[in-house]
Amino acid sequence: MSLRFLILILSPLLAGCETAAYYSQAVQGQWSLWWQRQPIEELVADETLDPELKQRLQQVLDIREFAYKQLGLPNNNTYRYYSDLHRSAVVWNVFAAEEFSVIPKQWCFPIAGCVSYRGYFSEQAAKDYADKLARQGYDTYVGSVAAYSTLGWFDDPVLNTFIHYDEAHLAGLIFHELAHQQLYIPGDTTFNESFASTVEVAGIERWLAHQQRPELMDVYLHRQRLSRDFIATLLQGRKSLEKLYQQDIHELQKRQRKQHIIDELVTQQYPAFKSRWNGVTHYDKWINHSLNNAKLSTLASYHQWQPALQRILFESEGDLTVFYQRVEQLAQQAKEQREQTLELLSQADH
């Protein structure tokens, strides 16, 4: 797809200077990824290529083949190319939430529908937009992103931003992004990310078993338990904030109590989590830097429906084909009905 064709597609949507500038940077950023790509099969055949990079790229091809043959994920040219962007992230996402709400602000786009973030190919542009929202009274958070899915509209390349991840992390990222191509509901970020995360976890477990790497499986399962406990700790704080925001009290009192809950999360609940895990420092930077409604909203978006979807996978006896069919049936439901079903499945685990 050419840059000119992309502009023709988006031109009816470019109403207003800010919107035009946003879509322009999005088109140019996507084009730069697509233009720089090189076929991985050609790169691994190049004897002058750095041996470590060659080994990692060959591993990507193996993971990609496994994703299709063993996980039933799309068999296309996604992740069969490589691009070196010469930067640490591919995009920077802006998240926002009102001062007294844990519900993330939504942005609506063509193809993707409404999502709870707005992506920029420039870190400074993302920070500038976040600052603008903050001046309007929003809590904001800018998060760097190593990869994203264009939902099959482009042949997404492997990027230098994640090629050197450890084996389990690399495989999981590929499975996660391909899962977005397998099933995506415009306007339902929570469902989409929970589904992709469920496929990611199932895929990693099967990939490591296939590789007969029990030591990596142990490391991965430990990291999963650690991550689940960290998320549960933060969601407790988010739930406390949600209850506070529903109270009919003066804004000044609400603001003070909000800060107290956040301070308590950082100074008491998080240290207790660290103590449970022998002083782990993995999340120190994340937890100590501007924790607010917007930042906490990112956790719910990615994990809220995972328990329910994992239950569906369990009831499908691990058969991913059956799992995809059952989840596709859920996708056909209205959002309210789908969430009711997922809530019941989540409660069934307790």
Side-chain angles (χ1 to χ4, degrees), residues 226 229-230 233 265-266 268-285 287-288:
L226 175 69
D229 192 13
F230 175 67
T233 299
L265 184 57
V266 174
Q268 296 183 35
Q269 295 173 25
Y270 179 62
F273 157 80
K274 291 184 65 173
S275 179
R276 290 194 297 273
W277 294 92
N278 299 317
V280 64
T281 60
H282 292 45
Y283 305 106
D284 284 4
K285 185 176 179 181
I287 195 77
N288 290 320

Side-chain angles (χ1 to χ4, degrees), residues 121-300:
F121 284 87
S122 160
E123 182 178 14
Q124 189 57 54
K127 289 180 176 179
D128 289 345
Y129 184 64
D131 288 343
K132 178 181 178 179
L133 292 174
R135 289 193 295 271
Q136 296 173 13
Y138 285 96
D139 282 8
T140 64
Y141 166 59
V142 176
S144 61
V145 178
Y148 67 89
S149 174
T150 58
L151 308 179
W153 286 80
F154 293 92
D155 298 328
D156 299 327
V158 176
L159 303 173
N160 66 293
T161 54
F162 62 84
I163 187 61
H164 294 293
Y165 282 0
D166 66 75
E167 183 176 343
H169 196 177
L170 178 63
L173 185 149
I174 292 173
F175 301 151
H176 184 105
E177 300 303 336
L178 287 173
H180 283 313
Q181 294 186 19
Q182 179 73 23
L183 179 65
Y184 185 90
I185 305 174
D188 197 339
T189 301
T190 302
F191 180 85
N192 293 329
E193 295 301 343
S194 296
F195 169 72
S197 295
T198 301
V199 174
E200 172 187 341
V201 171
I204 292 175
E205 291 175 343
R206 296 172 193 213
W207 167 254
L208 293 180
H210 172 74
Q211 293 294 102
Q212 297 183 338
R213 302 290 299 276
E215 75 284 2
L216 292 182
M217 179 69 80
D218 290 342
V219 171
Y220 168 71
L221 292 175
H222 173 82
R223 189 170 65 193
Q224 282 295 111
R225 290 191 293 270
L226 175 69
S227 176
R228 283 195 294 268
D229 192 13
F230 175 67
I231 291 166
T233 299
L234 292 180
L235 289 181
Q236 286 179 0
R238 182 181 182 273
K239 190 172 183 178
S240 296
L241 288 171
E242 188 174 19
K243 289 181 179 179
L244 168 65
Y245 299 151
Q246 293 171 354
Q247 295 179 18
D248 184 16
I249 59 177
H250 192 276
E251 280 193 1
L252 180 58
Q253 287 181 290
K254 193 173 288 188
R255 191 171 292 119
Q256 290 172 339
R257 292 184 187 180
K258 170 187 176 180
Q259 191 58 52
H260 176 74
I261 290 171
I262 291 175
D263 290 344
E264 191 175 61
L265 184 57
V266 174
T267 63
Q268 296 183 35
Q269 295 173 25
Y270 179 62
F273 157 80
K274 291 184 65 173
S275 179
R276 290 194 297 273
W277 294 92
N278 299 317
V280 64
T281 60
H282 292 45
Y283 305 106
D284 284 4
K285 185 176 179 181
W286 196 95
I287 195 77
N288 290 320
H289 183 70
S290 302
L291 191 62
N292 59 27
N293 295 334
K295 205 167 191 179
L296 290 170
S297 74
T298 65
L299 299 168

Side-chain angles (χ1 to χ4, degrees), residues 15-149:
C17 294
E18 180 182 312
T19 304
Y22 176 75
Y23 279 112
S24 176
Q25 68 86 31
V27 169
Q28 292 178 39
Q30 178 59 47
W31 176 255
S32 69
L33 264 68
W34 192 75
W35 181 254
Q36 296 178 59
R37 64 181 190 160
Q38 297 176 274
I40 291 179
E41 288 188 349
E42 292 183 9
L43 287 171
V44 296
D46 182 356
E47 296 184 358
T48 66
L49 189 69
D50 173 69
E52 182 182 355
L53 178 58
K54 180 183 292 190
Q55 186 270 332
R56 300 297 284 175
L57 290 174
Q58 181 58 59
Q59 191 172 62
V60 167
L61 292 180
D62 295 340
I63 293 169
R64 187 66 187 80
E65 198 70 9
F66 181 86
Y68 163 60
K69 291 184 176 179
Q70 303 299 323
L71 306 181
L73 293 171
N75 182 28
N76 51 33
N77 285 324
T78 297
Y79 298 137
R80 298 190 188 279
Y81 295 85
Y82 176 69
S83 290
D84 188 344
L85 305 178
H86 303 287
R87 60 178 188 262
S88 61
V90 57
V91 294
W92 288 263
N93 281 346
V94 177
F95 301 86
E98 294 181 2
E99 183 182 9
F100 301 126
S101 175
V102 292
I103 299 174
K105 177 178 171 61
Q106 297 283 304
W107 288 271
C108 297
F109 305 103
I111 303 171
C114 296
V115 295
S116 58
Y117 52 84
R118 179 162 157 143
Y120 288 85
F121 284 87
S122 160
E123 182 178 14
Q124 189 57 54
K127 289 180 176 179
D128 289 345
Y129 184 64
D131 288 343
K132 178 181 178 179
L133 292 174
R135 289 193 295 271
Q136 296 173 13
Y138 285 96
D139 282 8
T140 64
Y141 166 59
V142 176
S144 61
V145 178
Y148 67 89
S149 174

